[in-house]
Each structure stands twice: as structure tokens, then as C-alpha cells.
Amino acid sequence: MMKLLTSQTWVLASKRCRFLLLSSSPRQLRYLPLLIRFLLADLLQIGHSVNNRSCTCKFITFTYLKMPSDTMDVPKTGFSFDLCRRNDMLAKKGLKSPSYLKTGTTIVGLIFENGVILGADTRATEGPIVADKNCEKIHYMAPNIYCCGAGTAADTEAVTDNISSQLKLHRYHTGRESRVVTALTLLKSHLFRYQGHVSAALVLGGVDVTGPHLHTIYPHGSTDTLPYATMGSGSLAAMAIFESEYREGLTRDEGVNLVTKAICSGIFNDLGSGSNVDVCVIEKGKKEYLRNHLTPNPRTYVSSRGYTFSKKAEVLLTKITPQKELVEVVEVGGDAMEE
Amino acid sequence: MVVESHETDGEFAGGGLGHTSRSPIVTPVFTDMVSSQTESGLLSSEGESQRTQYPYVTGTSVIGIKYKDGILMAADMGGSYGSTIRYKSVERLKQVGKHSLLGASGEISDFQEILRYLDELILHDNMWDDGNSLGPKEVHNYLTRMMYNRRNKFDPLWNSLVLGGVKNGHKYLGSVSMIGVHFEDNHVATGFGNHLARPILREEWKEDLSFEEGVKLLEKCMRNLLYRDRSAVNKLQIAKITEDGLTISQPYSLKTFWNFGAFQNPTVGAEGSCC
């Protein structure tokens, strides 16, 4: 099939492959590679004809197209699932995919009388091993919005950073404080687009002009709006505490105590959660990020003697080499990266 | 036939001693069980045994706690057939002998089978007519052996059991799982109760709870389960066993609260944002 789009451009389709023809002037003839001869041979089977007359398109340059179009055209929208298919195929053949760093978490949020309180534990696990004893799971989204993340650590970090940047641009564009539903919509559309492959389960909370809001977002993109919420592996233990003790109109201290209690319940009753408790209190116009608000798992034994060699070890040689400064580091005063 | 429990319990204080001296009676009972099930029951006529692959009609969690005078146990009355709640009046708390109370979650038919075996056990115990009766610790041991043996044959009784009782002032509360994991503790829970009720019990259980406090604690846990377990029904029974005897309450319902402001108006300020 051949179709004349303009005087200079031809579009051609063959049974075996799709060709896109671009126009060319006679001058480019000499630069055409051998490839064209082969392509022409293919085309001859469907009986095309090349117009060699000088007045119209002289010769044809082909671009051989395959399935995903990486040409000057707009790339296909949506997520490309090719690599997912490849991963499945490899897994079926017995390849063990590398275990990713999961947070295996307890994260909670609740609404109290003046705003929102978010809480999280601080353990990041990689399978059975604790990879990070004191990681930060409460991520900054906007000055008035914070987001706790459970699931794959890379996914929660990346997705919250991405949406945080988008919110900042939006703030510059509109000149207003960000709203929690904006962050919610950005996050849920991002996660839905990736059909659950971005494994991030989030508790989003903040206070904006319309009041305090608390939402949960699941990896496939569904959301809930709740007065109190828990997510992560320790969510059942924390929800047990919330369901039995939450009431409306809690004061700030009561709220912080309840959140701490719920996170401690997750820490002590769930193996995927542990270490310390982080709390973030967001009220209208102000926020307080209480990093390591409670440390119920301190290191209990520290050797008082410090590290010494046993008496049997003989010192044969002592050589001390002072560190040489190769590069001088100068602190430049300026805007530190926000948060 | 009246069985009186005398103070012949000097030698039976440990419980284990009493049990082993009875073994000549107990083992035949067990092998009876084994042979009967190979002939009748679950197997098809081929030599290949049919293993229990998955449960059909299941009960959800059971929670038990020790309190001042004895044991308190709570279970709801639902029997789910997959994802439908098929039966709403299943009694999952039953008396065993004079001193024990058994609660079960999991496959209801296997629970009925266990009750039948326990019936035989208690019957043989009574037939000795020696003034002694099997206490909760002995029954717990029997259940553990039975569950573990079935699991070794890859044909488990698909239940998680909670056994509690009082004998001679000594309170006992234990749990046996489908694969034979057994332990004794001050508070036990099965199924979803492990995740939802255990944290509350760990925080709030203390020695010598009064009856009212115990019931309140159990109701708190059951309410939690009602909110968050999909196979729970709002109809439960609470059973109490003390030195004096056993009482199982009439079925009743818990009050639930649904009037949070956020539930009434979830999308205030942002219409359409809720799913």
C-alpha cells in the first residue's frame, strides 16, 4: 500500500514490517546505504513503484520501524510492561530476583482536634535482615503535608520525592499553599498508572485551608479518607490500639500518646517493625517533626572498657600516618537543599 | 455413675504422672481412632489417602484469658463457607469433662470430630471410676498428641484449639494449633485474634482480673475483631470456667460505633476525592 501524503513524503506499509518513508532530495541519493536495496527488494513483492521523475519525490529514505516507536513521533503513552514480561520469564526459568529493601513497617495517622499526627517506626528490612535500624519513613511533601511510606523503600522515596517536586512547581505556579487532595490525586494517578508495580503504600496527612485531612493510598492506586489509619505489616497491631482507644477531638498530647502507643504495639508485636518511633504533628500554620520521639529499644550493653587488645597480643611495630588533606573544602553560604 | 474427685491428687499434681499411668487405656483409644478413620470417614476406597487440602466451613478467632477465679473464653457464633457467612449459630465453646473448656477455630467438622474423640476419652476416664478426672493439662496434652500425629500423616485436623480449665485451684490455659504447636500462657488467641487481639491483651492483661474486668477486656478484643475481621459476626458467647463449674453465656451482640465525623463527611473541602 502506498499513500501519497505530500509531494515529498510517501507512506508505505508492507506485510512483514512497517516502513515510514521520509522525503529526500536527489542529493541524498548517494548517501543511501545498501540497506535500501534490500528493502526495495522486499517492497517489490508488493509491487510498489518509485517515482523517479525529477518533479516529484525523487527517492525514498526508509526508516525501519519496530513495535515501540522511538522516532521523532510522540512515544507511546503508558507504562511499557516488556520488562515485566522478561522478569516473569526469568523467574519461571529459576532466576532468583534480588530481594529489594522493604520497609516491613508500621505507619499510622490520626486526626486530632487541630490537625493531623503521623507516626512511623524506623526499621528497614531486607528479607530477614534489618538493613537500616533508624531510617526515616515520614517524608516531606510540602510545608503543610507529610507522607509516611510502607512497602519497597526505593518506591516510597522516589514517588514521594517526585510528587513533592510537582507540588512545589504547582505552588510556584498558583502562588498558594498546597492542598492535601492535590498531593492525593498526584500520588494516586501515578500509582495507578504503574498498575501496582510501584509497591508503595502511603499514609498522607496534612492541614490546608480546608482543614485537616488524612488519606491512605494503596499500591494499586485506591485511596481512603479516614479519621485514623494504619498501613504496613504492623498495621493490624496498631489498628487494634486505634480501634479500641480512638475518639474524636483528642488533644495534641493525647494524640501523640495514642500514636506512640500504636507504633509501639507494632514494634513489639510485629517482626517487620522495630527500633524507634518517629512522630510528626501538623497543625494549621505549623508543624513539628519529632524524629526519634521515643526510643524503646536502646542498646543495653556497652562495654565500659572500650576496645582493647587482649594482654597476649604483642605490639611489634607502631606506625602512625597522619591524614594528608589533598583538597580544601570551603563551605559556601547559601540555600541548603530544602528539607 | 458419679465420679467424685477426691484429694488423691498428691501423685497427680504434676498431671503428667497421672497421664502416663493411664496409658494402657489411652493408647487403645488412639489406635481405635486411627483404624476407624482408615476404614470409614474421609478416605475413598483406593489405597491413596485423601488428605485434607483446605477447610470448608470455618469458624474465626477464639480468645481466652486467665482471670482471678479461672478462665474466660470468648468466641463468636459464625460458620463461614468460604466468603459467605453460612451459619450464624455455631457453638464453638464446649465443655470437656468436669474441669475443661475447649474453644476451636477452623474447620467445624474437624472440631466435631475432636469432640467425639474427647467424648470417648472422658468416657474411658469415667469408666475407671477411681475418683479422679482428667484435668485441663491432661486434655491439652492429649489434644497436642492427636493434632501432631495427624499432621505427621499429612492429614491434619484443620483447627486451632484453645483449652482452659481449673483443677484444684490451679488455672490452666493452653493452645494447640493445626500442626501441633502447643503452649501455655496467660492469654491466648487463634486466627485473626493473634494479630488484632494479642497486642491489646499484651498491653492490658494483668494478674487477678475480676470477672467484670475480664469480660470488658474480652469484649474490647471481640469488638476489634468485629470491625476488622471479615468473617466475624456480631453474635458471641462468653464462657467462664472456675473451680465450681462452667457456664456458657447466652449469645449476645456488641454495640458498635460508626458515627465518626470523617465517616459522615469524608470529602469535606474536596468533593469527589473519595473513592
Side-chain angles (χ1 to χ4, degrees):
Chain A
M1 285 177 291
M2 212 147 66
K3 214 174 159 181
L4 177 65
L5 291 183
T6 67
S7 62
Q8 299 220 331
T9 315
W10 296 77
V11 176
L12 214 137
S14 98
K15 283 184 203 142
R16 273 184 237 145
C17 46
R18 293 188 187 89
F19 299 112
L20 176 69
L21 308 183
L22 306 171
S23 68
S24 88
S25 65
R27 248 173 279 159
Q28 289 185 12
L29 280 179
R30 51 190 97 126
Y31 303 114
L32 288 172
L34 200 66
L35 177 67
I36 294 192
R37 278 191 224 142
F38 293 120
L39 296 172
L40 268 178
D42 190 27
L43 283 172
L44 278 168
Q45 289 172 36
I46 58 167
H48 88 295
S49 64
V50 176
N51 200 334
N52 267 327
R53 266 177 284 160
S54 53
C55 52
T56 54
C57 168
K58 301 307 168 204
F59 214 97
I60 358 181
T61 320
F62 295 55
T63 310
Y64 190 79
L65 280 183
K66 275 218 160 138
M67 287 289 292
S69 47
D70 296 303
T71 61
M72 327 175 182
D73 296 274
V74 176
K76 229 161 76 165
T77 53
F79 186 58
S80 162
F81 287 90
D82 294 338
L83 286 179
C84 301
R85 283 207 299 264
R86 165 198 177 263
N87 289 341
D88 281 333
M89 188 268 292
L90 286 172
K92 274 202 199 91
K93 297 224 165 128
L95 177 74
K96 263 204 223 130
S97 57
S99 85
Y100 34 81
L101 187 67
K102 281 190 76 102
T103 47
T105 306
T106 310
I107 49 174
V108 304
L110 63 74
I111 296 189
F112 71 108
E113 62 181 349
N114 294 330
V116 173
I117 306 179
L118 299 173
D121 75 308
T122 60
R123 173 182 285 184
T125 51
E126 198 174 315
I129 304 169
V130 176
D132 189 348
K133 288 187 288 192
N134 208 354
C135 71
E136 285 190 21
K137 299 188 190 179
I138 306 187
H139 307 286
Y140 168 86
M141 299 284 277
N144 59 327
I145 306 174
Y146 273 75
C147 185
C148 307
T152 308
D155 288 338
T156 58
E157 286 278 344
V159 99
T160 48
D161 280 348
N162 191 358
I163 269 68
S164 170
S165 312
Q166 288 186 36
L167 282 176
K168 179 131 201 201
L169 289 171
H170 193 248
R171 277 203 294 285
Y172 284 142
H173 190 76
T174 57
R176 290 178 171 77
E177 190 185 60
S178 299
R179 298 195 186 192
V180 182
V181 283
T182 318
L184 179 74
T185 313
L186 289 169
L187 283 166
K188 82 193 291 191
S189 25
H190 182 95
L191 290 175
F192 181 72
R193 201 176 313 129
Y194 285 84
Q195 290 291 301
H197 290 285
V198 174
S199 171
L202 311 166
V203 170
L204 176 75
V207 180
D208 55 29
V209 285
T210 51
H213 295 278
L214 179 70
H215 302 278
T216 55
I217 308 165
Y218 289 86
H220 285 265
S222 64
T223 58
D224 285 312
T225 312
L226 298 164
Y228 54 93
T230 66
M231 292 283 259
S233 57
S235 64
L236 289 117
M239 186 51 88
I241 302 296
F242 271 170
E243 282 285 11
S244 40
E245 302 194 19
Y246 179 80
R247 7 168 268 279
E248 307 217 86
L250 290 164
T251 66
R252 184 195 181 282
D253 290 328
E254 287 174 338
V256 170
N257 282 340
L258 186 58
V259 161
T260 312
K261 198 171 174 190
I263 299 289
C264 283
S265 170
I267 287 173
F268 293 117
N269 291 305
D270 174 48
L271 296 175
S273 317
S275 304
N276 313 315
V277 181
D278 285 351
V279 176
C280 183
V281 184
I282 309 173
E283 291 171 277
K284 189 164 182 61
K286 71 171 164 97
K287 63 161 191 281
E288 255 184 278
Y289 184 52
L290 304 166
R291 169 80 171 142
N292 286 1
H293 174 70
L294 191 72
T295 47
N297 292 304
R299 189 173 160 205
T300 42
Y301 177 72
V302 182
S303 168
S304 53
R305 290 179 302 130
Y307 294 102
T308 53
F309 292 112
S310 68
K311 292 195 188 88
K312 295 219 181 89
E314 241 183 273
V315 176
L316 295 175
L317 171 70
T318 309
K319 180 178 175 191
I320 301 173
T321 315
Q323 260 188 329
K324 262 192 297 190
E325 288 257 5
L326 291 173
V327 174
E328 208 188 299
V329 177
V330 177
E331 277 276 354
V332 180
D335 288 303
M337 291 270 281
E338 186 170 24
E339 300 275 333
Chain B
M1 179 173 56
V2 175
V3 177
E4 309 137 80
S5 66
H6 286 302
E7 275 73 71
T8 48
D9 295 332
E11 16 171 345
F12 294 102
L17 283 172
H19 190 64
T20 47
S21 73
R22 303 271 192 82
S23 47
I25 285 296
V26 175
T27 349
V29 172
F30 194 74
T31 51
D32 269 347
M33 247 163 54
V34 172
S35 52
S36 67
Q37 87 200 24
T38 47
E39 278 142 27
S40 63
L42 5 129
L43 303 180
S44 51
S45 43
E46 296 91 56
E48 184 64 48
S49 65
Q50 197 108 95
R51 285 121 190 226
T52 309
Q53 305 285 357
Y54 29 76
Y56 285 98
V57 181
T58 53
T60 181
S61 357
V62 177
I63 318 177
I65 58 173
K66 278 190 191 167
Y67 79 110
K68 188 161 57 110
D69 304 324
I71 309 288
L72 276 172
M73 233 189 259
D76 69 14
M77 300 189 74
S80 319
Y81 184 63
S83 54
T84 54
I85 299 176
R86 175 74 179 83
Y87 303 103
K88 289 199 189 169
S89 299
V90 177
E91 288 198 19
R92 298 195 287 120
L93 302 170
K94 293 282 183 185
Q95 179 168 22
V96 176
K98 271 182 67 180
H99 303 282
S100 321
L101 167 65
L102 175 68
S105 71
E107 174 63 59
I108 301 290
S109 61
D110 284 344
F111 177 48
Q112 291 167 344
E113 191 74 354
I114 290 172
L115 289 176
R116 206 174 62 74
Y117 295 147
L118 287 174
D119 219 17
E120 252 186 277
L121 178 77
I122 300 294
L123 183 72
H124 283 272
D125 181 39
N126 289 344
M127 290 201 307
W128 277 105
D129 203 13
D130 60 357
N132 246 299
S133 48
L134 288 175
K137 197 169 166 124
E138 288 85 57
V139 178
H140 186 224
N141 197 352
Y142 178 77
L143 287 170
T144 309
R145 293 292 106 230
M146 188 169 68
M147 302 295 270
Y148 185 68
N149 249 287
R150 289 291 297 260
R151 165 257 189 173
N152 283 342
K153 296 200 275 260
F154 280 91
D155 185 14
L157 289 162
W158 210 285
N159 292 105
S160 291
L161 306 165
V162 173
L163 186 95
V166 189
K167 191 174 172 193
N168 303 321
H170 190 74
K171 298 179 281 219
Y172 186 89
L173 179 63
S175 166
V176 192
S177 84
M178 162 172 126
I179 48 175
V181 175
H182 65 284
F183 55 90
E184 197 223 323
D185 205 348
N186 293 323
H187 46 81
V188 295
T190 65
F192 245 94
N194 268 314
H195 297 106
L196 289 168
R198 270 266 173 81
I200 303 180
L201 293 172
R202 280 185 180 158
E203 283 275 331
E204 305 198 6
W205 184 88
K206 54 188 210 299
E207 284 284 345
D208 293 331
L209 287 165
S210 74
F211 176 68
E212 288 80 23
E213 288 174 340
V215 170
K216 229 167 127 225
L217 183 58
L218 278 180
E219 283 189 349
K220 195 176 192 185
C221 296
M222 292 305 287
R223 188 173 296 116
N224 227 307
L225 285 168
L226 178 63
Y227 285 140
R228 296 284 163 175
D229 180 5
R230 82 165 185 179
S231 37
V233 295
N234 196 1
K235 186 175 173 193
L236 64 139
Q237 285 183 308
I238 294 198
K240 157 181 95 140
I241 184 161
T242 61
E243 193 72 54
D244 309 319
L246 171 105
T247 37
I248 303 182
S249 73
Q250 287 298 315
Y252 68 101
S253 301
L254 293 170
K255 279 216 263 299
T256 54
F257 180 72
W258 296 94
N259 291 331
F260 287 116
F263 288 169
Q264 316 292 14
N265 215 354
T267 58
V268 63
E271 269 66 42
S273 71
C274 187
C275 50

